[in-house]
Amino acid sequence: MTIYNNSLSILTFKPQMEELLALFGTKNESNCYQPFHLRAIRHSIKLFTAGCAGILQPVTDMAYAPYPDLVKFGQGENNKANEAFSVWLKCLEADIPLSSIQSERICSLYEDTELTNLNWFNLSREQIAIIVHLFNQNGDYWFGHSGQITEDDAIFYWNNYLDILPLQADFDLRYIVPTSLASELNGHNKLLKGIESIRDFYIKTYCVDSPEINEINVMPQNDFGLIVEFDTQLAQLSENVIIALSGQHKCDVVYTYNTYDNRYGDVIVAQKGRLLKMNDD
């Protein structure tokens, strides 16, 4: 029998149950949780590298202090692709949270740039050199690629990986509290000056170093109740996650966390977006 160190006991109305089951990875026909944030992150990687390589340019004189080379080629032609890139650049400057609405917006801007139709073999040698350098600089986070990224690797990432629908975890905390566009691009604090590393952002926001949870136990109790069990690495979830969960789904949530040795435990109770109780043992 698997013992989990996190438990969510949820009480809600029947209309909310289908959304909650979808949130926790239970298959249903609603498809109300699509990984738009993951698509937006991948598309933003391609937009970022395209800007650095001069493939896309802002239509006005713009700067980006955390990484000036993003706009080093200066102002470009006033066309649909560059206009979309300019809007995306403003989103990056504002470090918008990647909610479903904002993520869909980024995906739409990406489509307007038509980068998906730009094949690697149509790039110049200068553009290729810049993109391969960036892929090597941040490829460990962007692609999970350890070691040197060759040009053959880069061809796959550009022509395929950054345009395909990514797999999603059983449970992703970023659906509850959106992630940061700039930190997702920054990865392990290697790229953007003055921007939080993604690990620092995750710990600050969720209190865990990864928002993806791939092994969960979902137990519907009746038409109004649900118990969800899962593990997190050496840490409990942030109270803000529990409050946001209860508010988004208009439900009552009792969150319980215990260490495996039972030396420490915590209980957080939230009701429809309001914190009712916190209890550290």
Side-chain angles (χ1 to χ4, degrees), residues 65-256:
Y67 198 85
D69 280 357
L70 177 56
V71 290
K72 72 177 180 180
F73 287 92
Q75 185 175 338
E77 295 180 18
N78 194 341
N79 56 39
K80 184 177 181 180
N82 283 338
E83 286 177 1
F85 175 71
S86 300
V87 175
W88 172 83
L89 182 54
K90 290 178 182 177
C91 292
L92 179 60
E93 283 185 307
D95 192 14
I96 62 168
L98 291 180
S99 64
S100 60
I101 292 174
Q102 294 290 6
S103 295
E104 287 186 75
R105 182 188 183 200
I106 286 176
C107 292
S108 178
L109 292 170
Y110 177 77
E111 290 175 4
D112 287 343
T113 67
E114 298 188 350
L115 275 181
T116 190
N117 298 322
L118 180 59
N119 192 283
W120 180 268
F121 299 104
N122 293 325
L123 302 179
S124 70
R125 293 311 305 175
E126 180 186 8
Q127 291 168 341
I128 286 172
I130 291 170
I131 293 169
V132 170
H133 172 74
L134 287 166
F135 281 3
N136 272 294
Q137 194 171 1
N138 233 28
D140 56 344
Y141 181 71
W142 287 352
F143 313 121
H145 188 121
S146 59
Q148 183 76 12
I149 291 179
T150 66
E151 188 168 323
D152 285 341
D153 296 326
I155 291 170
F156 167 74
Y157 291 134
W158 180 272
N159 282 347
N160 298 282
Y161 180 90
L162 292 175
D163 285 315
I164 60 177
L165 185 67
L167 296 175
Q168 57 181 327
D170 290 341
F171 177 31
D172 192 332
L173 300 174
R174 291 172 292 191
Y175 284 122
I176 301 173
V177 180
T179 189
S180 152
L181 173 58
S183 289
E184 291 285 356
L185 280 177
N186 195 31
H188 301 305
N189 208 22
K190 294 181 177 180
L191 203 61
L192 308 182
K193 184 178 180 180
I195 300 297
E196 274 185 312
S197 72
I198 193 59
R199 184 177 186 275
D200 287 346
F201 176 84
Y202 286 162
I203 290 174
K204 179 188 74 175
T205 305
Y206 312 111
C207 286
V208 292
D209 59 9
S210 173
E212 295 183 314
I213 299 169
N214 280 305
E215 185 179 342
I216 62 175
N217 184 30
V218 181
M219 298 175 288
Q221 300 301 292
N222 47 49
D223 288 341
F224 307 98
L226 188 67
I227 293 176
V228 182
E229 298 175 326
F230 54 93
D231 281 333
T232 51
Q233 293 183 357
L234 306 176
Q236 67 187 72
L237 296 185
S238 162
E239 65 184 81
N240 294 327
V241 173
I242 308 306
I243 294 168
L245 172 63
S246 71
Q248 286 174 13
H249 297 279
K250 301 178 178 63
C251 59
D252 299 346
V253 180
V254 178
Y255 168 67
T256 305

Side-chain angles (χ1 to χ4, degrees), residues 21-85:
L21 289 170
L23 173 65
F24 295 114
T26 301
K27 293 181 179 179
N28 59 59
E29 297 179 357
S30 70
N31 292 320
C32 54
Y33 282 96
Q34 296 292 322
F36 291 116
H37 59 287
L38 300 182
R39 291 179 60 197
I41 292 165
R42 290 193 180 186
H43 291 341
S44 291
I45 292 168
K46 203 166 184 180
L47 286 161
F48 182 88
T49 53
C52 292
I55 298 166
L56 296 171
Q57 297 169 257
V59 296
T60 59
D61 186 21
M62 298 179 69
Y64 184 62
Y67 198 85
D69 280 357
L70 177 56
V71 290
K72 72 177 180 180
F73 287 92
Q75 185 175 338
E77 295 180 18
N78 194 341
N79 56 39
K80 184 177 181 180
N82 283 338
E83 286 177 1
F85 175 71

